[in-house]
Amino acid sequence: MSTPPAPELAGRRLVLGLSGGIACYKAADLARELVKAGATVQVVMTEGALQFVTALTMQALSGRPVVASTWDLREPNAMAHINLSREADAIVVAPATADFIARVAQGRADDLLSLLCVARPVERCPLLLAPAMNREMWAHPATGRNVAQVRADGAVVLGPAAGDQACGETGDGRMLEPAEIRDALVAFFQPKLLAGRRVLVTAGPTFEAIDPVRGITNHSSGKMGFAVARAAAEAGADVTLVAGPVHLPTPPGVRRIDVASACQMHAAVLPEAPRHDVFVATAAVADWRPAHVNEHKVKKDGRRGAPLFELTENPDILAEVARLPAAERPWCVGFAAESEDLVRHSREKLQRKGVPLIVGNLGPATFGRDDNALVLVDAEGETELPRADKLTLARALVAEIARRLPDGVRA
Ligand code: C5P
């Protein structure tokens, strides 16, 4: 049994600011998501926001009285803007309207929420803005200037996404979904152990076609590799994910290349490898493929019995990357999915593949599951990462990789 992971925002004190847009209805859900993730959520609303959702709704969901006015006399010292911004680990404004972003860009302080943004200690209390507006408003050059200005002043802009808008139009300007904003906050608070590094990850099974309707594959779900890609991106890396055939969402900020067969994965990885500092091969690549792919479906033939398929060996992607000349070679991490004698097999693989780190796991105890247990095998010895959900393990693995990486980024 794995222990349930600690809520990801446990102990974080957040100001959730709402400015006046229809996406305020999603902010109610966001408050709930943040509280569920363990954060203390102090809601601050503008006059406009109060037209869209009530303070009562936000108070009920956040469990704290909402503050909406600079002149609120409930604060004993009548300085809500100082108290709230000194207590917060971050201010997240969702939705951030075009007008609100304009006011932040100008450093205005004529309502409590914008006043809070100006009054916060900039280096200690980050500001995250989730824009929400009509596509024409988002595309307006004034909005573009204001967004560039708030970014230059250190604010983090989350989204916006493209899609259907409340006004009936379609385009850029939709606020990110509450779960996406929550995940962006979780990522924001992760230590940036791989800042400036480029990480290449393979994930999932491969599919080796026999004919147009059949093929050889395996039980790999891709969950571990996707978690590694997400954890590396959260740690500040620039991540490329080469994924076998799985139906998992791409982690935010990750560049994804979809492939099916081992040969396609090989063709995708080899040209990418020299541009990356780290290569994590989590994919369960098929060792063999049918030597010939039948153009048409192989038919049952009662007289000749079952067909025989000749197999041929697939390229070993990890071993090839590990053999690249030093100037082109990323720091390589291999995975070993074994059914027994994990450490011995992992250590053999370390030698055979010529890589600095092998991560061993037991195949039947990981494939398709949401949790796993890992043992890291390198020249120094073994490090166990006990059973946990795959994202927790991936974050621990990223920390172990960051600790072992040679200093400096390759050119
Ligand atoms: O070769 P073996 O399956 O024992 O080693 C597993 C490790 O090698 C994994 O990291 C896997 O992603 C990688 N591998 C590869 N190309 C193959 C076979 C395995 O990159 N053809």
Side-chain angles (χ1 to χ4, degrees), residues 8-289:
E8 299 196 279
L9 293 172
R12 301 288 180 192
R13 295 161 306 173
L14 303 175
V15 165
L16 172 59
L18 280 65
S19 57
I22 184 58
C24 277
Y25 83 93
K26 291 194 202 172
D29 202 11
L30 174 59
R32 205 157 168 269
E33 290 285 348
L34 297 177
V35 169
K36 257 197 334 206
T40 305
V41 178
Q42 173 61 58
V43 175
V44 177
M45 297 171 75
T46 65
E47 282 277 313
L50 287 165
Q51 302 294 317
F52 289 93
V53 286
T54 64
L56 179 111
T57 299
M58 299 308 294
Q59 176 169 335
L61 294 171
S62 66
R64 298 168 77 92
V66 169
V67 193
S69 164
T70 311
W71 322 118
D72 192 327
L73 293 179
R74 284 174 301 177
E75 292 287 321
N77 63 355
M79 289 195 220
H81 63 298
I82 303 294
N83 305 343
L84 293 175
S85 64
R86 297 305 179 273
E87 284 162 10
D89 294 319
I91 299 174
V92 51
V93 181
T97 59
D99 177 66
F100 186 76
I101 295 170
R103 283 190 288 132
V104 173
Q106 287 188 14
R108 312 252 325 221
D110 48 3
D111 77 301
L112 179 60
L113 190 54
S114 50
L115 169 58
L116 260 183
C117 295
V118 186
R120 76 191 208 282
V122 175
E123 61 304 330
R124 210 190 49 67
C125 179
L127 173 64
L128 298 96
L129 303 169
M133 65 195 76
N134 167 266
R135 66 191 172 96
E136 298 292 1
M137 295 171 79
W138 177 253
H140 196 284
T143 306
R145 277 197 306 275
N146 293 332
V147 169
Q149 184 62 57
V150 296
R151 278 206 175 108
D153 293 342
V156 176
V157 178
L158 307 174
D164 291 344
Q165 303 201 309
C167 49
E169 297 179 4
T170 305
D172 286 335
R174 248 176 89 98
M175 190 170 86
L176 295 186
E177 295 304 321
E180 293 174 310
I181 298 176
R182 178 207 56 211
D183 288 350
L185 275 161
V186 170
F188 181 80
F189 285 118
Q190 294 301 317
K192 303 300 166 207
L193 299 172
L194 293 178
R197 307 277 194 173
R198 289 156 300 183
V199 177
L200 177 63
V201 181
T202 62
T206 62
F207 182 88
E208 312 300 329
I210 292 172
D211 64 24
V213 295
R214 304 186 187 91
I216 302 170
T217 185
N218 59 62
H219 285 307
S220 168
S221 63
K223 286 178 183 170
M224 193 65 228
F226 275 62
V228 169
R230 176 170 166 187
E234 287 178 348
D238 207 341
V239 181
T240 306
L241 172 63
V242 179
V246 292
H247 297 282
L248 293 173
T250 309
V254 167
R255 183 167 76 100
R256 174 172 178 171
I257 303 171
D258 281 316
V259 298
S261 67
C263 287
Q264 287 170 354
M265 189 173 276
H266 177 261
V269 165
L270 263 290
E272 289 286 342
R275 302 198 307 105
H276 289 80
D277 303 297
V278 181
F279 176 45
V280 188
T282 52
V285 184
D287 290 322
W288 305 283
R289 66 178 183 276

Side-chain angles (χ1 to χ4, degrees), residues 202 281-283 285-287 314-318 334-335 349 352-353:
T202 62
T282 52
V285 184
D287 290 322
N314 272 327
D316 190 323
I317 303 165
L318 176 60
F335 266 66
K349 212 159 279 187
R352 183 157 47 82
K353 304 258 181 182

Side-chain angles (χ1 to χ4, degrees), residues 279 316 318-319 322-323 329 331-338 341-360 375-383 404:
F279 176 45
D316 190 323
L318 176 60
R323 279 198 303 267
R329 182 171 64 229
W331 201 82
C332 291
V333 182
F335 266 66
E338 304 294 341
D341 229 346
L342 191 52
V343 171
R344 186 168 61 81
H345 287 303
S346 299
R347 197 157 286 290
E348 268 170 26
K349 212 159 279 187
L350 193 74
Q351 306 292 332
R352 183 157 47 82
K353 304 258 181 182
V355 297
L357 180 64
I358 287 282
V359 181
V375 53
L376 276 51
V377 177
D378 68 1
E380 304 297 312
E382 284 103 48
T383 313
R404 289 167 169 81

